[in-house]
């Protein structure tokens, strides 16, 4: 239940659907298995798996949705080997060269013939929607996965006016300053992991773990122009996270105090515990995002907004 990554998006206008409309939209595009000739399918599933009935989980004004992707696993090496055998067979039989256009056609035919026999795998991606606060957080480290979810949500509801979260200070510049000065904004603490990147084109990268970031070694790297491109920080004894220079949050970890609180509030029922975890996580993120935004100079709004 607890998110481990965050890709953040801001509604650029009022949320164009309410809870009832969203649930109806999700029900129209349920997750389903791949047909024999499909490479993948996308659809909505229950956020708590068998512990929930609806495709929309609602808790104190927050909405949780879950996209399930099922895809057929067809290794490129298998296709390549089959194509090479087919090309060799044609060239030997017809005494002629097989060129690119014909190769592409043969490749498509091979893929179509192999797909029905390919194994499938499924992957679920969660997203938290804070309609009253105007943001969506997707639990994904990959922009592609997040965009798949947002595109499916847009397709399902007919409209999804969102844009990536933007801040006024470049995260790399802000994080570099925090490490250089040994001081993070109020509520945040710099921990012991970072990534340093040379600002020159094709520059080197240094990854540090369990390292005193105030040490002379780290400070020397900063003094010659390297910037902090990833930094692990803690916030208010509630969570820790790794922030990168694209404003993506990875390795998000909610502290045991919050998890224990969810266990106590949820009781012995698994569905109750999941619901309590959702509420506590959502409220914690609602406090974190303004604090993180302020630490990075405030939110950058498009002109005219």
């Amino acid at each position: 239940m607890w998110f481990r990554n965050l890709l953040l998006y801001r509604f650029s206008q009022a949320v164009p659907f309410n809870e009832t409309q969203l649930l109806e939209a999700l029900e129209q595009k349920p997750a389903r298995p791949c047909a024999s000739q499909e490479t993948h399918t996308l659809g909505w599933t229950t956020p708590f798996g068998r512990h929930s009935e609806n495709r929309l989980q609602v808790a104190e004004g927050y909405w949780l949705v879950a996209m399930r992707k099922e895809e057929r696993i067809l290794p490129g090496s298998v296709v390549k080997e089959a194509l090479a055998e087919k090309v060799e067979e044609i060239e030997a039989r017809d005494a002629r060269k097989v060129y690119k256009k014909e190769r592409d056609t043969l490749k498509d035919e091979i893929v179509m013939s192999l797909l029905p026999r390919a194994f499938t795998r499924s992957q679920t991606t969660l997203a938290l929607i804070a309609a009253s606060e105007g943001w969506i957080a997707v639990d994904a480290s990959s922009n592609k996965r997040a965009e798949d979810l947002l595109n499916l949500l847009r397709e399902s509801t007919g409209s999804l006016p969102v844009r990536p979260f933007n801040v006024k200070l470049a995260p790399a510049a802000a994080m570099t300053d925090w490490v250089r000065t040994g001081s993070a904004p109020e509520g945040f603490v710099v921990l012991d992991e970072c990534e340093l990147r040379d600002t020159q084109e094709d520059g080197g990268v240094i990854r540090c773990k369990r390292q005193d970031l105030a040490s002379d070694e780290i400070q020397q790297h900063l003094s010659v122009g390297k910037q902090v491109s990833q930094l692990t920080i803690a916030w208010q004894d509630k969570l820790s996270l790794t922030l990168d220079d694209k404003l993506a949050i990875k390795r998000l970890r909610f502290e045991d105090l919050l998890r224990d609180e969810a266990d106590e509030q949820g009781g012995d029922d698994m569905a109750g515990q999941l619901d309590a975890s959702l509420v506590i996580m959502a409220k914690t993120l609602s406090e974190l995002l303004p604090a993180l935004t302020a630490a990075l100079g405030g939110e950058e709004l498009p002109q005219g907004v």
Side-chain angles (χ1 to χ4, degrees):
M1 173 59 248
W2 301 91
F3 282 21
R4 291 173 291 182
N5 304 282
L6 291 177
L7 290 175
L8 302 167
Y9 301 85
R10 169 68 77 186
F11 280 95
S12 55
Q13 53 186 268
V15 180
F17 43 78
N18 58 32
E19 179 184 319
T20 301
Q21 292 169 329
L22 177 56
L23 177 56
E24 291 175 351
L26 301 180
E27 295 288 351
Q28 296 302 310
K29 290 191 176 293
R32 62 175 179 80
C34 291
S36 63
Q37 297 296 316
E38 286 182 311
T39 57
H40 71 277
T41 61
L42 298 173
W44 302 109
T45 188
T46 53
F48 293 167
R50 61 186 178 86
H51 299 290
S52 56
E53 298 178 356
N54 294 324
R55 289 182 172 82
L56 177 63
Q57 196 72 30
V58 179
E60 298 193 18
Y62 297 98
W63 304 336
L64 185 69
V65 299
M67 178 192 74
R68 191 176 77 199
K69 178 179 183 179
E70 182 168 298
E71 60 183 333
R72 292 191 177 275
I73 309 304
L74 192 56
S77 58
V78 173
V79 176
K80 183 178 180 180
E81 183 177 344
L83 176 60
E85 290 177 357
K86 188 66 176 176
V87 168
E88 184 178 351
E89 176 189 336
I90 293 173
E91 290 183 340
R93 183 191 67 206
D94 300 343
R96 64 180 179 84
K97 185 73 174 176
V98 175
Y99 291 100
K100 183 179 184 305
K101 185 176 181 180
E102 186 177 359
R103 280 176 175 268
D104 291 343
T105 300
L106 290 171
K107 181 178 178 180
D108 290 342
E109 292 173 354
I110 289 169
V111 169
M112 289 299 104
S113 69
L114 293 177
L115 272 178
R117 292 175 282 161
F119 289 107
T120 61
R121 68 179 176 190
S122 60
Q123 185 179 60
T124 299
T125 304
L126 296 170
L128 181 66
I129 304 174
S132 63
E133 299 164 34
W135 53 262
I136 297 180
V138 183
D139 182 8
S141 58
S142 158
N143 285 305
K144 175 64 168 60
R145 279 181 65 182
E147 288 299 326
D148 280 347
L149 186 144
L150 295 176
N151 287 336
L152 182 63
L153 190 56
R154 184 176 293 109
E155 182 182 336
S156 301
T157 61
S159 177
L160 190 68
V162 297
R163 54 174 173 77
F165 231 89
N166 290 313
V167 290
K168 293 181 179 177
L169 291 179
M175 293 187 294
T176 300
D177 185 61
W178 301 347
V179 173
R180 179 183 290 114
T181 62
S183 176
E186 183 178 358
F188 292 93
V189 176
V190 173
L191 298 181
D192 60 357
E193 295 186 21
C194 76
E195 178 183 276
L196 303 174
R197 187 177 296 273
D198 196 316
T199 55
Q200 301 295 321
E201 187 175 356
D202 299 326
V205 176
I206 298 172
R207 295 180 177 90
C208 308
K209 290 188 176 183
R210 295 182 293 278
Q211 177 81 35
D212 177 8
L213 301 188
S215 67
D216 291 342
E217 179 184 0
I218 299 297
Q219 296 300 317
Q220 177 63 28
H221 285 301
L222 298 181
S223 69
V224 296
K226 287 188 175 63
Q227 283 199 325
V228 179
S229 53
Q230 287 190 21
L231 180 65
T232 302
I233 54 179
W235 176 69
Q236 287 193 357
D237 297 324
K238 292 183 178 182
L239 53 81
S240 61
L241 58 91
T242 299
L243 178 68
D244 76 8
D245 54 2
K246 302 294 190 299
L247 203 59
I249 292 173
K250 302 174 183 178
R251 297 170 60 196
L252 178 62
R253 185 185 184 281
F254 294 86
E255 296 298 336
D256 291 341
L257 183 66
L258 296 180
R259 294 172 179 266
D260 292 343
E261 183 181 346
D263 288 342
E264 292 174 7
Q265 292 184 8
D268 297 330
D269 177 61
M270 178 58 76
Q273 288 192 5
L274 289 167
D275 201 53
S277 298
L278 170 58
V279 171
I280 291 173
M281 180 184 74
K283 288 184 174 180
T284 303
L285 292 180
S286 287
E287 296 172 4
L288 168 69
L289 296 186
L292 184 60
T293 300
L296 295 169
E299 187 172 356
E300 181 70 43
L301 299 175
Q303 291 185 352
V305 176

